[in-house]
């Protein structure tokens, strides 16, 4: 929609690309449609559908992702026109959450969000299915396949809500990971596109031992980080904050982030080159408080120093580092800083062990 400024638009598209990457996809191209209001039947309009078809054929793409929420009928019409997998922004985000949710509550919240997204969209699919499987018993009075599917989904949603109540009422801390490897845990938190996964890759060791390798492949979002003193800690990427998160996904997002509470130290990554960085910082800060994680020490990592044009003076009194994730010296500086914060915060603990 042309109500967005050019910068906001670029930002949203960059964010979408980062989300696709997080979900394990590769962007082969982008197509932009500029209209007052979205087309009711296909969102982008007939001419653009043809253009999109041609572009996909040329690049060999298999999925088309729309940077908005599509109506059930738009998805149906587009699928009929193009015979490609059509996803909207909400589905992409749900897919990322589903891959990241670790706690029982997180998994339940994500499933609930997926089902409530699916419910109004069953129509086209159920219709095709019941026709394919047509014949005796599928006609006449009684439930249609669609009604059966809807009833089944509503039942499951009720069951999930019941389980969620239980989980919340005996909220226990999930310490399994900690028990498994007694390691010092550092969580990366911040907006999507702030540079969390770049930092995860670039800060971690390339010389991981064989026994750690299994762990590394089991959980691609956790890596080992060796500090200047030789101490090894675990660094975990979390699901990133997203601009304009659909309200139906807020609960799923929060519980996906629950495990941040298990961290010993939080690296709060901020894209210092983003004009809106201050608001991003505040949003993350507020959520940490809501998650009951505000007692965990935080090191702020102002990233993308290379893109700053003027001076940068971060506000606030928590320890901070201004770096570029691409600069080896900056990364070294950050490793020292992490160790310094750990020593300061956990001094009594270090002494007791020695
Ligand atoms: P995440 O979504 O927080 O995991 O962010 P990514 O690590 O995927 O980074 C988002 C984009 O920012 C990528 O295109 C990175 O190459 C880029 N990026 C990350 N760190 C820096 C940096 O220090 N400077 C610049 N200029 N770009 C960076």
């Amino acid at each position: 929609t042309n109500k967005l400024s050019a910068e906001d638009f670029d930002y949203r598209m960059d964010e979408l690309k980062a989300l696709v990457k997080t979900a394990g996809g590769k962007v082969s191209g982008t197509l932009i449609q500029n209209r007052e209001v979205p087309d009711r039947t296909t969102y982008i309009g007939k001419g653009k559908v043809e253009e999109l078809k041609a572009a996909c054929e040329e690049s060999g793409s298999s999925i088309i992702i729309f940077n908005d929420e599509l109506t059930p009928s738009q998805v149906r019409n587009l699928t009929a026109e193009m015979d490609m997998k059509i996803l909207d922004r909400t589905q992409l985000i749900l897919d990322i959450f589903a891959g990241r949710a670790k706690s029982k509550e997180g998994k339940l919240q994500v499933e609930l969000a997926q089902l409530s997204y699916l419910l109004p969209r069953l129509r086209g699919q159920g219709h095709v299915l019941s026709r394919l499987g047509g014949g005796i018993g599928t006609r006449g009075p009684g439930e249609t396949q669609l009604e059966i599917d809807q009833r089944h989904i509503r039942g499951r949603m009720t069951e999930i809500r019941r389980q969620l109540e239980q989980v919340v009422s005996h909220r226990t801390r999930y310490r399994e990971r900690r028990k498994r490897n007694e390691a010092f845990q550092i969580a990366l938190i911040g907006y999507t596109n702030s540079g969390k996964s770049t930092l995860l890759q670039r800060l971690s060791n390339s010389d991981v031992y064989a026994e750690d390798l299994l762990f590394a492949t089991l959980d691609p979002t956790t890596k080992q980080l060796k500090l200047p003193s030789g101490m090894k800690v675990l660094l975990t990427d979390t699901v990133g904050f997203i601009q304009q998160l659909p309200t139906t996904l807020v609960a799923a997002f929060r519980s996906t982030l629950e495990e941040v509470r298990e961290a010993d130290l939080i690296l709060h990554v901020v894209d210092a080159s983003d004009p809106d960085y201050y608001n991003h910082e505040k949003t993350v800060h507020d959520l940490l408080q809501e998650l009951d994680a505000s007692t965990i020490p935080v090191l702020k990592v102002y990233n993308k120093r290379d893109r700053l044009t003027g001076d940068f003076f971060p506000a606030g009194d928590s320890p901070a580092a201004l770096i570029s994730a691409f600069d080896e010296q900056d990364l070294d500086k950050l490793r020292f800083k992490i160790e310094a914060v750990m020593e300061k915060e956990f001094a009594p603990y270090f002494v007791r062990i020695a």
Side-chain angles (χ1 to χ4, degrees):
T1 148
N2 56 12
K3 278 184 229 115
L4 284 179
S5 72
E7 283 104 70
D8 279 350
F9 180 80
D10 286 347
Y11 188 86
R12 297 263 185 97
M13 288 308 275
D14 283 349
E15 184 187 73
L16 187 71
K17 284 183 204 161
L19 289 172
V20 171
K21 219 169 84 185
T22 307
K26 192 174 156 286
V27 178
S28 55
T30 52
L31 198 80
I32 295 160
Q33 168 67 307
N34 199 351
R35 317 169 42 117
E36 279 287 328
V37 282
D39 181 70
R40 217 168 49 84
T41 44
T42 59
Y43 188 78
I44 46 178
K46 220 163 178 45
K48 271 288 178 214
V49 169
E50 293 307 319
E51 208 181 305
L52 190 54
K53 256 195 222 170
C56 288
E57 232 159 74
E58 200 183 306
S59 61
S61 308
S62 52
I63 303 178
I64 301 170
I65 301 173
F66 287 76
N67 202 8
D68 199 351
E69 190 160 304
L70 298 175
T71 65
S73 73
Q74 283 168 340
V75 175
R76 251 186 341 261
N77 297 335
L78 284 163
T79 312
E81 284 270 351
M82 332 234 261
D83 198 25
M84 298 261 298
K85 186 160 183 165
I86 309 285
L87 293 182
D88 66 8
R89 189 164 175 273
T90 304
Q91 266 176 303
L92 176 66
I93 296 169
L94 276 171
D95 189 73
I96 294 171
F97 288 176
R100 295 289 174 95
K102 292 201 177 91
S103 67
K104 176 149 196 217
E105 183 178 353
K107 288 186 179 142
L108 289 170
Q109 288 284 13
V110 173
E111 192 186 343
L112 191 62
Q114 282 175 321
L115 292 176
S116 62
Y117 178 88
L118 184 64
L119 198 56
R121 289 169 172 80
L122 273 182
R123 199 164 287 277
Q125 302 169 13
H127 190 60
V128 173
L129 275 182
S130 61
R131 257 207 315 219
L132 283 180
I136 300 167
T138 58
R139 280 163 303 199
E143 282 184 313
T144 63
Q145 186 60 43
L146 176 63
E147 283 162 345
I148 295 172
D149 291 347
Q150 284 174 336
R151 187 164 50 83
H152 184 75
I153 289 184
R154 286 204 189 91
R156 176 70 191 145
M157 287 170 80
T158 309
E159 169 61 19
I160 293 176
R161 288 202 185 92
R162 198 187 56 77
Q163 285 189 23
L164 274 171
E165 266 167 37
Q166 265 180 2
V167 173
V168 175
S169 68
H170 337 118
R171 193 190 292 276
T172 48
R173 297 223 157 177
Y174 298 93
R175 298 228 173 244
E176 276 158 43
R177 296 175 73 200
R178 181 85 56 98
K179 272 190 237 132
R180 195 166 69 214
N181 51 41
E182 291 277 313
F184 196 94
Q185 309 248 353
I186 301 179
L188 286 162
I189 181 167
Y191 268 75
T192 286
N193 224 19
S194 58
K196 295 186 306 313
S197 56
T198 308
L199 275 171
L200 181 75
Q201 301 303 326
R202 303 207 49 149
L203 277 174
S204 60
N205 311 329
S206 42
D207 58 336
V208 182
Y209 301 110
E211 73 260 28
D212 298 325
L213 219 69
L214 177 68
F215 179 63
T217 44
L218 282 178
D219 183 358
T221 60
T222 296
K223 296 227 182 294
Q224 196 180 65
L225 159 65
K226 197 161 147 191
L227 295 171
S229 68
M231 182 180 176
K232 290 177 191 147
V233 298
L234 290 178
L235 187 62
T236 302
D237 193 6
T238 62
V239 65
F241 281 63
I242 297 151
Q243 298 266 295
Q244 321 267 319
L245 185 69
T247 44
T248 46
L249 304 191
V250 170
F253 169 70
R254 289 198 180 168
S255 43
T256 311
L257 264 183
E258 291 247 297
E259 58 164 328
V260 166
R261 293 199 302 221
E262 301 303 315
D264 300 290
L265 173 69
I266 290 171
L267 292 191
H268 174 176
V269 186
V270 181
D271 177 351
S273 70
D274 189 310
D276 206 25
Y277 87 90
Y278 184 75
N279 282 326
H280 289 182
E281 237 184 278
K282 191 169 175 327
T283 313
V284 174
H285 179 263
D286 292 349
L287 185 82
L288 286 176
Q289 228 149 20
E290 270 174 57
L291 283 176
D292 237 356
S294 52
T295 53
I296 302 170
V298 174
L299 170 59
K300 285 208 182 140
V301 181
Y302 293 100
N303 190 28
K304 310 200 187 179
R305 181 177 66 87
D306 53 294
R307 288 180 58 181
L308 291 175
T309 43
D311 290 338
F312 184 80
F313 298 108
D317 50 7
S318 49
L322 176 60
I323 66 151
S324 163
F326 298 146
D327 183 317
E328 277 307 324
Q329 280 181 337
D330 280 4
L331 292 175
D332 272 342
K333 211 172 67 184
L334 181 58
R335 290 189 190 96
F336 272 104
K337 191 96 191 181
I338 291 172
E339 192 145 52
V341 174
M342 277 170 56
E343 273 180 51
K344 182 171 164 286
E345 293 288 340
F346 298 94
Y349 176 74
F350 281 169
V351 170
R352 234 183 297 130
I353 284 189

